[in-house]
Amino acid sequence: MRVKEIVYFDKAGPENTTAVIEAVKRRCTELGIKHVVVASDSGETALRLWEAIQNTGVSLICVPQHAGYMGGDNTSIAPEKRKDLEAKGIQVLVCAHALSGVGRSITKKFGGVTPVEIIAHTLRRFGGDGIKVAVEISVMAADAGLIPTDREIIAVGGSGGGADAAIVLKAAHMNNFFDLEIREIIAKPRQREQ
């Protein structure tokens, strides 16, 4: 049996970022985690996390929004920021979102809901967008070959910028999504809405 602390925030939002980063750093050390994946649209949250865990042997992967997410053909991360992150050894992954993808387009065009969107909405019940995003980016990073699926990693997500959720999980690829295991909640908001 293990007893450990979970950090609960009163509300979702970017004001929780510093506490999430501190909790992630602590859990990386305690569990010997070697891979962390973080959602970071501008790259700022990834940079802050890197500052906390640099020189620890932890590989950091930054996942911003894909091109077209907010319209247009640009990604949410500026080319200069991406170069800066990569120069620090942070891998940047830009790809389709695992828990929406083409399904979102079908819903927008024809209405209804796809099974993948049901998974996304179910995950939001456990901790808002942050928990859903953390699961989603772990699948994306696994599919890109950037994280292992045979050992635990940490995934960090947020709601409306910054970070407000972190989990320890054994990731899985999209084609075997139901092998994914959320093993620990490190931090999460108590309320979904900001």
Side-chain angles (χ1 to χ4, degrees), residues 38 40-42 62-66 76-77 92-95 97 140:
V38 59
S40 184
D41 293 332
S42 69
C62 168
V63 184
Q65 294 172 341
H66 63 77
S76 61
I77 191 165
V92 178
L93 172 64
V94 179
C95 62
H97 295 180
M140 294 157 63

Side-chain angles (χ1 to χ4, degrees), residues 37-158:
V37 59
V38 59
S40 184
D41 293 332
S42 69
E44 287 303 315
T45 302
L47 183 59
R48 288 181 61 190
L49 184 54
W50 174 82
E51 289 169 350
I53 63 171
Q54 66 178 320
N55 303 318
T56 63
V58 174
S59 173
L60 182 60
I61 298 95
C62 168
V63 184
Q65 294 172 341
H66 63 77
Y69 183 81
M70 299 300 284
D73 292 331
N74 296 320
T75 61
S76 61
I77 191 165
E80 310 79 44
K81 178 60 81 172
R82 182 175 183 157
K83 286 179 188 173
D84 180 42
L85 295 175
E86 290 172 341
K88 290 174 171 48
I90 302 167
Q91 296 173 294
V92 178
L93 172 64
V94 179
C95 62
H97 295 180
L99 296 179
S100 60
V102 173
R104 179 176 288 146
S105 183
I106 292 168
T107 297
K108 286 165 78 174
K109 179 80 172 173
F110 302 107
V113 65
T114 65
V116 171
E117 291 171 300
I118 292 171
I119 292 169
H121 283 283
T122 301
L123 287 167
R124 286 183 182 106
R125 302 310 101 193
F126 292 97
D129 284 331
I131 295 291
K132 187 276 294 187
V133 167
V135 168
E136 184 170 42
I137 62 175
S138 72
V139 172
M140 294 157 63
D143 277 0
L146 299 177
I147 59 169
T149 59
D150 62 348
R151 59 188 161 280
E152 293 177 339
I153 64 115
I154 290 178
V156 180

Side-chain angles (χ1 to χ4, degrees), residues 25-39:
K25 180 181 179 182
R26 189 170 45 252
R27 207 64 186 130
C28 279
T29 301
E30 292 167 353
L31 292 175
I33 297 288
K34 293 299 176 193
H35 296 85
V36 175
V37 59
V38 59

